[in-house]
Amino acid sequence: MTRGKIVIALGGNAIQTGDATAKAQQEALEKTAEQLVKIIEKNIDIVIVHGNGPQVGNILLQQKVAESEKTPAMPLDTCGAMSQGMIGYWIENAIEKALKKHNINKEVVTVVTRVVVDEKDEAFNNPTKPIGPFYAEDEARKLMNETKAVFKEDAGRGWRRVVPSPIPVSIHEHRVINSLVEQGDIVIAVGGGGIPVIHSEEGLIGIEAVIDKDFAAQKLAELVGADILVILTAVDFVYVNFNQPNQKKLEFVTADELEEYIKEQQFAAGSMLPKIEAAIHFVRGNGERKAIITSLERVYEALEEKAGTIISR
C-alpha cells in the first residue's frame, strides 16, 4: 500500500443507513471506523471528510419546529457548524474505540472548518441545493414573499428551499489541519463541505449556502499536500452505461478519459458527476497524485490497487 497523506471523503451511507437516531448513526460509524483502522494500522496519515445532508436537514427541521421569540431559529451556517461538531464527536468516539481494539496509540481530533467561497460565484445567482423540509406550493410561495428565501418544486414531492452551492476557494483552517496531521493525529475536518464564509473588512462572515463535500475534500487535499484523494460512495467502481446491458466498470482511468465520458453525459449531475470532477481537479495538480472512487467496504483493497476506480493524470 502506498504510504503518505490521504484525504478520505465518507459517503452518506458511512453515517446513516435509514435510522436517524443517534444510536443507529453511532453504530454505523463504528463499522466505518473498523474499515478505516485497516489503513491507520499501516501508519498512513489520514484526514477524514464527511457529509452532513440528512443530519443538517434534521437540525433545520428541529429549529423550525421549536422557533419562537425566545428561541429563534439559527441560520444555515450555524446549523452546519452544529452538525460538524455532532458528527465529528461521533466519529472521534468510533475511531478511538477501534484504535483501542487494535492497540494503536493515536489522537483523534475534529476541526470545525470554515471554507472560503467567492461572493461573486455564479452559484449565488442560481440556487440549486435543496435543504430542509417540504412545503405545499401555497405555503412555499407565502414564505418566498415574506423572506428572501428561494423555493423550488422537488421531484413531485413538494416545494423545498434551495440555496447556492458555490465552489470552495480555500479552507481557512488548512494549516492547522496539516500541522495536526503531520504530528500523527487523525483529523476530522470540512464536515458537510465546511461552513461557507466570505471575506469582509471585519473578518469572515458565514453565508446561506451549501458546499459540495467532494469539492471541499479535493480543495483540502490540495492544500495539505495529500498524495491520494479517496471518495467513498455506494458502489465499488465508477461505471459507464450504468444499469444498461453494455455497462462497464472503470478500473484504471485517466482524467482525459473521464472528461470524454462527461461529454457523453455518463455521470448523473447530483450523484457521481461531482465526485468525478473533484477527482479530475485533484490529479491534475502538482506532483504525482491519484484519486480513488470506491465503496467503504473496498477502500483498503483500492489503496492496494486491487479494487475501485483509480484515476491518474
Side-chain angles (χ1 to χ4, degrees):
M1 181 183 292
T2 303
R3 282 176 165 74
K5 192 181 296 179
I6 300 176
V7 171
I8 300 177
L10 299 179
N13 59 334
I15 306 171
Q16 189 166 313
T17 56
D19 186 340
T21 64
K23 182 181 178 183
Q25 291 181 80
Q26 289 172 75
E27 287 173 352
L29 281 167
E30 286 182 7
K31 294 176 183 176
T32 297
E34 281 295 330
Q35 296 295 330
L36 297 179
V37 84
K38 294 177 185 177
I39 302 166
I40 296 165
E41 279 184 312
K42 298 297 182 182
N43 206 28
I44 292 171
D45 295 324
I46 69 168
V47 183
I48 299 165
V49 175
H50 61 81
N52 72 343
Q55 294 81 12
V56 79
N58 287 340
I59 290 170
L60 287 165
L61 278 169
Q62 291 159 358
Q63 294 287 313
K64 180 68 179 173
V65 170
E67 185 174 19
S68 70
E69 190 175 333
K70 289 185 177 180
T71 58
M74 294 294 105
L76 179 57
D77 59 322
T78 300
C79 291
M82 291 179 189
S83 73
Q84 278 196 34
M86 176 179 73
I87 298 169
Y89 158 64
W90 289 344
I91 297 175
E92 285 173 355
N93 284 349
I95 290 179
E96 284 179 354
K97 184 176 179 179
L99 292 176
K100 186 175 181 180
K101 181 178 174 182
H102 291 265
N103 296 311
I104 301 170
N105 184 25
K106 274 184 173 286
E107 298 292 330
V108 189
V109 62
T110 298
V111 177
V112 175
T113 315
R114 292 165 290 176
V115 176
V116 181
V117 299
D118 184 353
E119 62 182 317
K120 295 179 181 177
D121 191 305
E122 277 301 309
F124 290 107
N125 298 323
N126 181 32
T128 57
K129 188 74 173 178
I131 63 165
F134 289 92
Y135 294 91
E137 182 177 353
D138 56 347
E139 189 177 6
R141 293 193 181 281
K142 181 184 176 186
L143 287 168
M144 280 194 281
N145 289 331
E146 294 173 351
T147 69
K148 294 180 180 180
V150 177
F151 288 76
K152 291 183 180 178
E153 199 275 331
D154 187 348
R157 297 178 293 175
W159 286 61
R160 292 178 80 188
R161 183 182 171 196
V162 289
V163 296
S165 186
I167 297 296
V169 173
S170 185
I171 311 294
H172 189 67
E173 287 80 10
H174 76 269
R175 291 183 184 87
V176 174
I177 294 166
N178 195 44
S179 176
L180 290 165
V181 172
E182 294 204 335
Q183 70 182 26
D185 299 328
I186 299 162
V187 184
I188 302 149
V190 197
I195 304 160
V197 294
I198 57 173
H199 287 292
S200 75
E201 291 182 2
E202 293 79 29
L204 294 174
I205 300 173
I207 55 167
E208 298 274 300
V210 173
I211 300 166
D212 183 274
K213 173 256 301 174
D214 298 313
F215 287 137
Q218 169 245 320
K219 178 56 69 175
L220 179 63
E222 288 178 7
L223 291 170
V224 301
D227 305 289
I228 304 174
L229 170 64
V230 180
I231 300 176
L232 300 182
T233 185
V235 292
D236 297 341
F237 296 87
V238 175
Y239 293 88
V240 292
N241 305 316
F242 188 59
N243 278 343
Q244 296 175 36
N246 59 340
Q247 172 178 293
K248 182 179 79 170
K249 68 182 178 184
L250 302 179
E251 296 180 87
F252 295 90
V253 64
T254 67
D256 288 349
E257 288 170 327
L258 287 176
E259 286 202 328
E260 289 303 312
Y261 289 131
I262 290 172
K263 290 175 185 175
E264 295 173 11
Q265 299 184 324
Q266 289 281 358
F267 311 118
S271 178
M272 189 58 74
L273 182 59
K275 302 180 194 314
I276 297 292
E277 290 177 332
I280 290 172
H281 285 303
F282 180 70
V283 301
R284 284 187 170 158
N286 296 328
E288 288 299 316
R289 300 172 173 177
K290 68 179 177 181
I292 297 170
I293 301 177
T294 191
S295 65
L296 174 66
E297 293 74 21
R298 303 294 296 276
V299 63
Y300 185 83
E301 293 173 82
L303 285 167
E304 293 189 320
E305 300 193 346
K306 295 176 181 177
T309 297
I310 317 293
I311 301 144
S312 64
R313 187 187 303 179

